[in-house]
Amino acid sequence: MRIGFFDSGIGGLSVLYEALRQLPHEDYLYYADDANVPYGNKSREDIRCCVIEAVDFLAGMDIAALVVACNTATSAAIQDIRRKYRFPVIGMEPAVKPAVKSVDGKRVLVFATPLTLRESKFMVLLNQVDIHNTVDYLPLQELVTFAESCQFDRTVILTYLKERLKDYDLNRYGAVVLGCTHFPFFKNHIREFFPKGTVIVDGNRGTICNLKNTLTSMGRIHEGSGQVTYYRSGKRVVDDFTMERYLQRMRQIEEGGMF
Ligand code: DGL
């Protein structure tokens, strides 16, 4: 049986990359909701509808487990998904916990979509973890649009980031959290703004560790050969152009987020 991966678009490929690294002997179905991307500036209700439609499709393919490789979809709809389906569902949340642990008296800056940052799930997380009020957060929705349109031009990205970060004293930060799965594609662009030694964390490794533990406890590990079948809003991807674009994004993650 295969493992379903779901994202609004190509962001989840950064998580799938980690899955292929840690769990190369599984088969995967990757679903990008291209017809509805981006999610981050939609309402929670609209996102729920999109997510349920996508997960219904994957459920019909008889998956062993589902990875919601999208912080925004997790924030808006994880409870609805868990209620509706019987397979295990692994969601994502901004990696604030490890970030707070890693900074020594410095601050933490979380980047995510507007939806993720305003949902109660994030507020609950901050209440649990941000005991000393050291966490700041900022939405960077435009990075999703850039990634979806393959806009990785250094000048364009740095200009956008410079404008968004202009009110922050970046020397105060010891860690940056990439709380959206599209953001690891811009890891090196982001790194340029912060002092040397600033830790940049995403939730990908932790998410795939959860998947690994889940499959192990189900006794369902090592059931495939690393094969991935891609879907764009319910249509199977067969053209070489899209396939190559997806592989390029995964190579980009391997190379540290710079293209
Ligand atoms: N990749 C998604 C996330 O992790 C959502 C991006 C979007 O569609 O706005 O939040």
Side-chain angles (χ1 to χ4, degrees):
M1 257 164 116
R2 294 170 292 184
I3 297 160
F5 265 69
F6 165 72
D7 181 46
S8 60
I10 58 166
L13 294 173
S14 67
V15 193
L16 179 65
Y17 168 81
E18 185 60 28
L20 289 166
R21 212 180 61 81
Q22 284 194 45
L23 294 166
H25 302 296
E26 313 300 329
D27 291 332
Y28 300 94
L29 294 178
Y30 184 89
Y31 187 110
D33 192 9
D34 277 15
N36 297 302
V37 68
Y39 280 4
N41 44 18
K42 287 187 168 53
S43 71
R44 187 208 291 167
E45 266 322 303
D46 284 351
I47 296 169
R48 277 185 182 156
C49 290
C50 299
V51 173
I52 293 299
E53 194 180 327
V55 181
D56 271 345
F57 178 87
L58 287 169
M61 315 286 281
D62 204 18
I63 51 176
L66 173 73
V67 177
V68 182
C70 176
N71 293 267
T72 308
T74 302
S75 303
I78 195 85
Q79 280 161 354
D80 305 69
I81 304 172
R82 291 208 168 111
R83 235 177 274 130
K84 186 161 183 207
Y85 307 97
R86 300 224 332 244
F87 43 76
V89 180
I90 289 119
M92 297 200 72
E93 69 179 15
V96 185
K97 277 180 217 161
V100 167
K101 275 194 199 138
S102 75
V103 287
D104 198 11
K106 289 194 134 191
R107 299 190 67 78
V108 171
L109 186 53
V110 182
F111 297 143
T113 66
L115 185 290
T116 299
L117 296 177
R118 73 166 181 262
E119 274 300 310
S120 58
K121 198 171 181 300
F122 183 67
M123 291 305 145
V124 169
L125 177 67
L126 281 193
N127 282 340
Q128 281 168 359
V129 177
D130 187 18
I131 298 156
H132 302 293
N133 278 322
T134 52
V135 180
D136 300 316
Y137 47 92
L138 178 72
L140 292 179
Q141 183 63 38
E142 204 58 26
L143 288 185
V144 177
T145 310
F146 287 144
E148 289 296 326
S149 58
C150 290
Q151 172 60 274
F152 297 106
D153 181 85
R154 190 170 167 274
T155 314
V156 174
I157 306 304
L158 295 190
T159 305
Y160 167 71
L161 289 173
K162 194 172 170 194
E163 173 58 26
R164 297 294 291 147
L165 294 168
K166 70 178 188 315
D167 297 331
Y168 292 79
D169 176 2
L170 301 180
N171 286 312
R172 300 173 72 204
Y173 293 96
V176 172
V177 177
L178 306 181
C180 168
T181 56
H182 282 73
F183 295 176
F185 300 123
F186 302 98
K187 193 168 176 177
N188 284 347
H189 300 95
I190 290 167
R191 203 190 297 281
E192 292 200 26
F193 287 87
F194 292 88
K196 225 170 170 240
T198 306
V199 180
I200 301 185
V201 283
D202 61 50
N204 295 358
R205 199 164 282 194
T207 301
I208 300 308
C209 280
N210 285 347
L211 172 64
K212 197 174 185 171
N213 293 338
T214 304
L215 294 176
T216 307
S217 67
M218 292 162 75
R220 308 219 48 157
I221 199 132
H222 298 168
E223 291 199 339
S225 57
Q227 207 191 356
V228 188
T229 311
Y230 297 95
Y231 292 87
R232 300 172 79 175
S233 298
K235 290 191 195 67
R236 185 162 173 182
V237 174
V238 283
D239 65 294
D240 292 344
F241 178 78
T242 308
M243 214 69 113
E244 180 48 33
R245 209 163 60 103
Y246 287 175
L247 294 178
Q248 250 178 21
R249 294 291 77 78
M250 285 200 265
R251 283 199 290 274
Q252 194 173 343
I253 293 298
E254 194 165 43
E255 286 156 19
M258 191 59 119
F259 213 52

